[in-house]
PDB file of all heavy atoms in Angstrom:
ATOM      1  N   LEU A  16      58.193  55.741  62.813  1.00  0.00           N
ATOM      2  CA  LEU A  16      58.603  56.217  61.518  1.00  0.00           C
ATOM      3  C   LEU A  16      58.746  57.753  61.644  1.00  0.00           C
ATOM      4  O   LEU A  16      58.297  58.345  62.628  1.00  0.00           O
ATOM      5  CB  LEU A  16      57.682  55.785  60.413  1.00  0.00           C
ATOM      6  CG  LEU A  16      57.836  54.335  60.085  1.00  0.00           C
ATOM      7  CD1 LEU A  16      56.774  53.889  59.097  1.00  0.00           C
ATOM      8  CD2 LEU A  16      59.220  54.031  59.473  1.00  0.00           C
ATOM      9  N   LEU A  18      57.392  60.357  60.689  1.00  0.00           N
ATOM     10  CA  LEU A  18      56.346  61.416  60.636  1.00  0.00           C
ATOM     11  C   LEU A  18      56.023  62.001  61.947  1.00  0.00           C
ATOM     12  O   LEU A  18      55.971  63.234  62.082  1.00  0.00           O
ATOM     13  CB  LEU A  18      55.138  60.785  59.978  1.00  0.00           C
ATOM     14  CG  LEU A  18      55.232  60.726  58.452  1.00  0.00           C
ATOM     15  CD1 LEU A  18      54.135  59.918  57.810  1.00  0.00           C
ATOM     16  CD2 LEU A  18      55.271  62.144  57.815  1.00  0.00           C
ATOM     17  N   SER A  28      53.590  49.738  54.512  1.00  0.00           N
ATOM     18  CA  SER A  28      52.925  50.447  53.804  1.00  0.00           C
ATOM     19  C   SER A  28      51.949  49.683  53.158  1.00  0.00           C
ATOM     20  O   SER A  28      51.407  48.976  53.896  1.00  0.00           O
ATOM     21  CB  SER A  28      53.941  51.017  53.229  1.00  0.00           C
ATOM     22  OG  SER A  28      54.884  51.787  53.605  1.00  0.00           O
ATOM     23  N   GLY A  65      54.237  53.575  44.821  1.00  0.00           N
ATOM     24  CA  GLY A  65      55.002  54.785  44.396  1.00  0.00           C
ATOM     25  C   GLY A  65      54.249  56.006  44.428  1.00  0.00           C
ATOM     26  O   GLY A  65      54.820  57.090  44.266  1.00  0.00           O
ATOM     27  N   ALA A  66      52.905  55.955  44.658  1.00  0.00           N
ATOM     28  CA  ALA A  66      51.999  57.156  44.744  1.00  0.00           C
ATOM     29  C   ALA A  66      51.503  57.331  46.116  1.00  0.00           C
ATOM     30  O   ALA A  66      51.303  56.325  46.858  1.00  0.00           O
ATOM     31  CB  ALA A  66      50.937  57.024  43.709  1.00  0.00           C
ATOM     32  N   LYS A  67      51.180  58.532  46.518  1.00  0.00           N
ATOM     33  CA  LYS A  67      50.606  58.831  47.759  1.00  0.00           C
ATOM     34  C   LYS A  67      49.239  58.101  47.881  1.00  0.00           C
ATOM     35  O   LYS A  67      48.392  58.222  47.042  1.00  0.00           O
ATOM     36  CB  LYS A  67      50.381  60.326  47.900  1.00  0.00           C
ATOM     37  CG  LYS A  67      49.777  60.780  49.244  1.00  0.00           C
ATOM     38  CD  LYS A  67      49.609  62.235  49.258  1.00  0.00           C
ATOM     39  CE  LYS A  67      48.837  62.696  50.517  1.00  0.00           C
ATOM     40  NZ  LYS A  67      48.721  64.235  50.499  1.00  0.00           N
ATOM     41  N   PRO A  68      49.077  57.212  48.908  1.00  0.00           N
ATOM     42  CA  PRO A  68      47.912  56.444  49.015  1.00  0.00           C
ATOM     43  C   PRO A  68      46.798  57.159  49.745  1.00  0.00           C
ATOM     44  O   PRO A  68      46.953  58.261  50.384  1.00  0.00           O
ATOM     45  CB  PRO A  68      48.384  55.279  49.898  1.00  0.00           C
ATOM     46  CG  PRO A  68      49.392  55.901  50.786  1.00  0.00           C
ATOM     47  CD  PRO A  68      50.065  57.011  49.991  1.00  0.00           C
ATOM     48  N   SER A 102      65.132  53.624  52.921  1.00  0.00           N
ATOM     49  CA  SER A 102      64.460  54.876  52.566  1.00  0.00           C
ATOM     50  C   SER A 102      62.972  54.579  52.416  1.00  0.00           C
ATOM     51  O   SER A 102      62.591  53.670  51.696  1.00  0.00           O
ATOM     52  CB  SER A 102      65.023  55.464  51.308  1.00  0.00           C
ATOM     53  OG  SER A 102      66.429  55.742  51.473  1.00  0.00           O
ATOM     54  N   VAL A 103      62.139  55.332  53.097  1.00  0.00           N
ATOM     55  CA  VAL A 103      60.747  55.099  53.126  1.00  0.00           C
ATOM     56  C   VAL A 103      59.946  56.398  52.856  1.00  0.00           C
ATOM     57  O   VAL A 103      60.258  57.458  53.434  1.00  0.00           O
ATOM     58  CB  VAL A 103      60.265  54.485  54.461  1.00  0.00           C
ATOM     59  CG1 VAL A 103      60.775  53.153  54.687  1.00  0.00           C
ATOM     60  CG2 VAL A 103      60.569  55.395  55.635  1.00  0.00           C
ATOM     61  N   HIS A 104      58.941  56.249  52.034  1.00  0.00           N
ATOM     62  CA  HIS A 104      57.933  57.338  51.875  1.00  0.00           C
ATOM     63  C   HIS A 104      56.868  56.997  52.924  1.00  0.00           C
ATOM     64  O   HIS A 104      56.491  55.827  53.124  1.00  0.00           O
ATOM     65  CB  HIS A 104      57.329  57.430  50.487  1.00  0.00           C
ATOM     66  CG  HIS A 104      58.127  58.295  49.621  1.00  0.00           C
ATOM     67  ND1 HIS A 104      58.426  59.627  50.019  1.00  0.00           N
ATOM     68  CD2 HIS A 104      58.615  58.233  48.329  1.00  0.00           C
ATOM     69  CE1 HIS A 104      59.056  60.264  49.043  1.00  0.00           C
ATOM     70  NE2 HIS A 104      59.197  59.418  48.067  1.00  0.00           N
ATOM     71  N   GLU A 105      56.278  58.012  53.525  1.00  0.00           N
ATOM     72  CA  GLU A 105      55.350  57.871  54.617  1.00  0.00           C
ATOM     73  C   GLU A 105      54.162  58.737  54.548  1.00  0.00           C
ATOM     74  O   GLU A 105      54.181  59.805  53.900  1.00  0.00           O
ATOM     75  CB  GLU A 105      56.120  58.210  55.938  1.00  0.00           C
ATOM     76  CG  GLU A 105      57.357  57.330  56.208  1.00  0.00           C
ATOM     77  CD  GLU A 105      58.348  58.135  57.061  1.00  0.00           C
ATOM     78  OE1 GLU A 105      58.374  59.300  56.952  1.00  0.00           O
ATOM     79  OE2 GLU A 105      59.062  57.490  57.801  1.00  0.00           O
ATOM     80  N   LEU A 106      53.139  58.288  55.186  1.00  0.00           N
ATOM     81  CA  LEU A 106      51.888  59.156  55.332  1.00  0.00           C
ATOM     82  C   LEU A 106      51.368  58.820  56.697  1.00  0.00           C
ATOM     83  O   LEU A 106      51.276  57.690  57.113  1.00  0.00           O
ATOM     84  CB  LEU A 106      50.890  58.816  54.271  1.00  0.00           C
ATOM     85  CG  LEU A 106      49.584  59.606  54.308  1.00  0.00           C
ATOM     86  CD1 LEU A 106      49.036  59.929  52.885  1.00  0.00           C
ATOM     87  CD2 LEU A 106      48.471  58.844  55.059  1.00  0.00           C
ATOM     88  N   ASP A 118      52.896  63.913  55.020  1.00  0.00           N
ATOM     89  CA  ASP A 118      53.468  62.846  54.233  1.00  0.00           C
ATOM     90  C   ASP A 118      54.780  63.365  53.581  1.00  0.00           C
ATOM     91  O   ASP A 118      55.073  64.525  53.556  1.00  0.00           O
ATOM     92  CB  ASP A 118      52.499  62.357  53.185  1.00  0.00           C
ATOM     93  CG  ASP A 118      52.336  63.388  52.058  1.00  0.00           C
ATOM     94  OD1 ASP A 118      53.150  63.344  51.047  1.00  0.00           O
ATOM     95  OD2 ASP A 118      51.415  64.186  52.156  1.00  0.00           O
ATOM     96  N   THR A 119      55.557  62.348  53.054  1.00  0.00           N
ATOM     97  CA  THR A 119      56.799  62.667  52.397  1.00  0.00           C
ATOM     98  C   THR A 119      56.779  62.546  50.897  1.00  0.00           C
ATOM     99  O   THR A 119      57.778  62.706  50.254  1.00  0.00           O
ATOM    100  CB  THR A 119      57.919  61.747  52.944  1.00  0.00           C
ATOM    101  OG1 THR A 119      57.636  60.406  52.613  1.00  0.00           O
ATOM    102  CG2 THR A 119      58.102  61.896  54.423  1.00  0.00           C
ATOM    103  N   TYR A 120      55.599  62.218  50.354  1.00  0.00           N
ATOM    104  CA  TYR A 120      55.555  61.949  48.913  1.00  0.00           C
ATOM    105  C   TYR A 120      55.897  63.085  47.993  1.00  0.00           C
ATOM    106  O   TYR A 120      56.304  62.863  46.863  1.00  0.00           O
ATOM    107  CB  TYR A 120      54.153  61.343  48.606  1.00  0.00           C
ATOM    108  CG  TYR A 120      54.056  59.843  48.929  1.00  0.00           C
ATOM    109  CD1 TYR A 120      53.692  59.460  50.220  1.00  0.00           C
ATOM    110  CD2 TYR A 120      54.427  58.895  47.980  1.00  0.00           C
ATOM    111  CE1 TYR A 120      53.584  58.123  50.556  1.00  0.00           C
ATOM    112  CE2 TYR A 120      54.333  57.543  48.326  1.00  0.00           C
ATOM    113  CZ  TYR A 120      53.952  57.248  49.590  1.00  0.00           C
ATOM    114  OH  TYR A 120      53.888  55.866  49.905  1.00  0.00           O
ATOM    115  N   SER A 121      55.731  64.288  48.498  1.00  0.00           N
ATOM    116  CA  SER A 121      56.157  65.421  47.623  1.00  0.00           C
ATOM    117  C   SER A 121      57.589  65.897  47.923  1.00  0.00           C
ATOM    118  O   SER A 121      58.068  66.880  47.346  1.00  0.00           O
ATOM    119  CB  SER A 121      55.222  66.586  47.852  1.00  0.00           C
ATOM    120  OG  SER A 121      55.263  66.980  49.268  1.00  0.00           O
ATOM    121  N   GLY A 122      58.259  65.111  48.742  1.00  0.00           N
ATOM    122  CA  GLY A 122      59.659  65.514  49.112  1.00  0.00           C
ATOM    123  C   GLY A 122      60.605  64.276  49.214  1.00  0.00           C
ATOM    124  O   GLY A 122      60.535  63.423  48.382  1.00  0.00           O
ATOM    125  N   THR A 123      61.469  64.363  50.161  1.00  0.00           N
ATOM    126  CA  THR A 123      62.493  63.369  50.271  1.00  0.00           C
ATOM    127  C   THR A 123      62.124  62.211  51.283  1.00  0.00           C
ATOM    128  O   THR A 123      61.566  62.513  52.337  1.00  0.00           O
ATOM    129  CB  THR A 123      63.822  64.018  50.832  1.00  0.00           C
ATOM    130  OG1 THR A 123      64.177  65.070  50.032  1.00  0.00           O
ATOM    131  CG2 THR A 123      64.961  62.984  50.951  1.00  0.00           C
ATOM    132  N   PRO A 124      62.338  60.977  50.843  1.00  0.00           N
ATOM    133  CA  PRO A 124      61.965  59.871  51.768  1.00  0.00           C
ATOM    134  C   PRO A 124      62.783  59.982  53.081  1.00  0.00           C
ATOM    135  O   PRO A 124      63.945  60.583  53.083  1.00  0.00           O
ATOM    136  CB  PRO A 124      62.390  58.576  51.009  1.00  0.00           C
ATOM    137  CG  PRO A 124      62.434  59.038  49.541  1.00  0.00           C
ATOM    138  CD  PRO A 124      62.861  60.464  49.558  1.00  0.00           C
ATOM    139  N   GLU A 125      62.255  59.433  54.135  1.00  0.00           N
ATOM    140  CA  GLU A 125      62.984  59.375  55.425  1.00  0.00           C
ATOM    141  C   GLU A 125      63.838  58.139  55.431  1.00  0.00           C
ATOM    142  O   GLU A 125      63.602  57.189  54.641  1.00  0.00           O
ATOM    143  CB  GLU A 125      61.991  59.292  56.556  1.00  0.00           C
ATOM    144  CG  GLU A 125      61.135  60.528  56.718  1.00  0.00           C
ATOM    145  CD  GLU A 125      61.905  61.721  57.334  1.00  0.00           C
ATOM    146  OE1 GLU A 125      63.084  61.517  57.768  1.00  0.00           O
ATOM    147  OE2 GLU A 125      61.359  62.812  57.403  1.00  0.00           O
ATOM    148  N   VAL A 148      58.025  46.864  49.820  1.00  0.00           N
ATOM    149  CA  VAL A 148      57.065  46.442  50.793  1.00  0.00           C
ATOM    150  C   VAL A 148      56.360  47.697  51.343  1.00  0.00           C
ATOM    151  O   VAL A 148      56.915  48.748  51.492  1.00  0.00           O
ATOM    152  CB  VAL A 148      57.645  45.718  51.982  1.00  0.00           C
ATOM    153  CG1 VAL A 148      58.748  46.574  52.738  1.00  0.00           C
ATOM    154  CG2 VAL A 148      56.706  45.127  52.935  1.00  0.00           C
ATOM    155  N   ILE A 150      53.635  48.943  54.412  1.00  0.00           N
ATOM    156  CA  ILE A 150      53.244  48.526  55.695  1.00  0.00           C
ATOM    157  C   ILE A 150      52.306  49.599  56.372  1.00  0.00           C
ATOM    158  O   ILE A 150      52.329  50.729  55.994  1.00  0.00           O
ATOM    159  CB  ILE A 150      54.463  48.220  56.567  1.00  0.00           C
ATOM    160  CG1 ILE A 150      55.240  49.520  56.912  1.00  0.00           C
ATOM    161  CG2 ILE A 150      55.396  47.176  56.012  1.00  0.00           C
ATOM    162  CD1 ILE A 150      56.348  49.360  57.880  1.00  0.00           C
ATOM    163  N   PHE A 164      51.375  54.880  57.303  1.00  0.00           N
ATOM    164  CA  PHE A 164      51.656  54.061  56.111  1.00  0.00           C
ATOM    165  C   PHE A 164      53.033  54.263  55.684  1.00  0.00           C
ATOM    166  O   PHE A 164      53.494  55.433  55.702  1.00  0.00           O
ATOM    167  CB  PHE A 164      50.704  54.422  55.001  1.00  0.00           C
ATOM    168  CG  PHE A 164      50.987  53.810  53.636  1.00  0.00           C
ATOM    169  CD1 PHE A 164      50.338  52.665  53.277  1.00  0.00           C
ATOM    170  CD2 PHE A 164      51.863  54.440  52.791  1.00  0.00           C
ATOM    171  CE1 PHE A 164      50.717  52.113  52.037  1.00  0.00           C
ATOM    172  CE2 PHE A 164      52.139  53.883  51.534  1.00  0.00           C
ATOM    173  CZ  PHE A 164      51.531  52.679  51.184  1.00  0.00           C
ATOM    174  N   ALA A 165      53.821  53.260  55.333  1.00  0.00           N
ATOM    175  CA  ALA A 165      55.206  53.436  54.913  1.00  0.00           C
ATOM    176  C   ALA A 165      55.442  52.501  53.733  1.00  0.00           C
ATOM    177  O   ALA A 165      54.991  51.345  53.747  1.00  0.00           O
ATOM    178  CB  ALA A 165      56.182  53.188  56.019  1.00  0.00           C
ATOM    179  N   GLU A 166      56.212  53.025  52.778  1.00  0.00           N
ATOM    180  CA  GLU A 166      56.541  52.260  51.575  1.00  0.00           C
ATOM    181  C   GLU A 166      58.032  52.361  51.362  1.00  0.00           C
ATOM    182  O   GLU A 166      58.643  53.405  51.258  1.00  0.00           O
ATOM    183  CB  GLU A 166      55.850  52.854  50.343  1.00  0.00           C
ATOM    184  CG  GLU A 166      56.216  52.194  49.014  1.00  0.00           C
ATOM    185  CD  GLU A 166      55.344  52.786  47.871  1.00  0.00           C
ATOM    186  OE1 GLU A 166      54.738  53.837  48.044  1.00  0.00           O
ATOM    187  OE2 GLU A 166      55.390  52.139  46.785  1.00  0.00           O
ATOM    188  N   VAL A 167      58.724  51.211  51.435  1.00  0.00           N
ATOM    189  CA  VAL A 167      60.178  51.156  51.301  1.00  0.00           C
ATOM    190  C   VAL A 167      60.573  51.285  49.855  1.00  0.00           C
ATOM    191  O   VAL A 167      60.193  50.540  48.996  1.00  0.00           O
ATOM    192  CB  VAL A 167      60.750  49.893  51.873  1.00  0.00           C
ATOM    193  CG1 VAL A 167      62.283  49.815  51.616  1.00  0.00           C
ATOM    194  CG2 VAL A 167      60.433  49.714  53.344  1.00  0.00           C
ATOM    195  N   VAL A 168      61.333  52.371  49.556  1.00  0.00           N
ATOM    196  CA  VAL A 168      61.791  52.613  48.162  1.00  0.00           C
ATOM    197  C   VAL A 168      63.187  52.262  47.870  1.00  0.00           C
ATOM    198  O   VAL A 168      63.602  52.209  46.691  1.00  0.00           O
ATOM    199  CB  VAL A 168      61.494  54.127  47.819  1.00  0.00           C
ATOM    200  CG1 VAL A 168      59.977  54.437  47.908  1.00  0.00           C
ATOM    201  CG2 VAL A 168      62.291  55.066  48.766  1.00  0.00           C
ATOM    202  N   ASP A 169      63.994  52.014  48.900  1.00  0.00           N
ATOM    203  CA  ASP A 169      65.375  51.661  48.696  1.00  0.00           C
ATOM    204  C   ASP A 169      65.910  51.090  49.955  1.00  0.00           C
ATOM    205  O   ASP A 169      65.442  51.348  51.070  1.00  0.00           O
ATOM    206  CB  ASP A 169      66.175  52.909  48.271  1.00  0.00           C
ATOM    207  CG  ASP A 169      67.561  52.531  47.748  1.00  0.00           C
ATOM    208  OD1 ASP A 169      67.761  51.373  47.280  1.00  0.00           O
ATOM    209  OD2 ASP A 169      68.447  53.457  47.715  1.00  0.00           O
TER     210      ASP A 169
END
Side-chain angles (χ1 to χ4, degrees):
L16 288 171
L18 281 169
S28 290
K67 179 179 174 180
S102 298
V103 292
H104 269 310
E105 302 153 329
L106 179 144
D118 70 89
T119 64
Y120 278 88
S121 59
T123 303
E125 294 285 352
V148 63
I150 66 177
F164 170 93
E166 179 176 9
V167 177
V168 297
D169 194 17

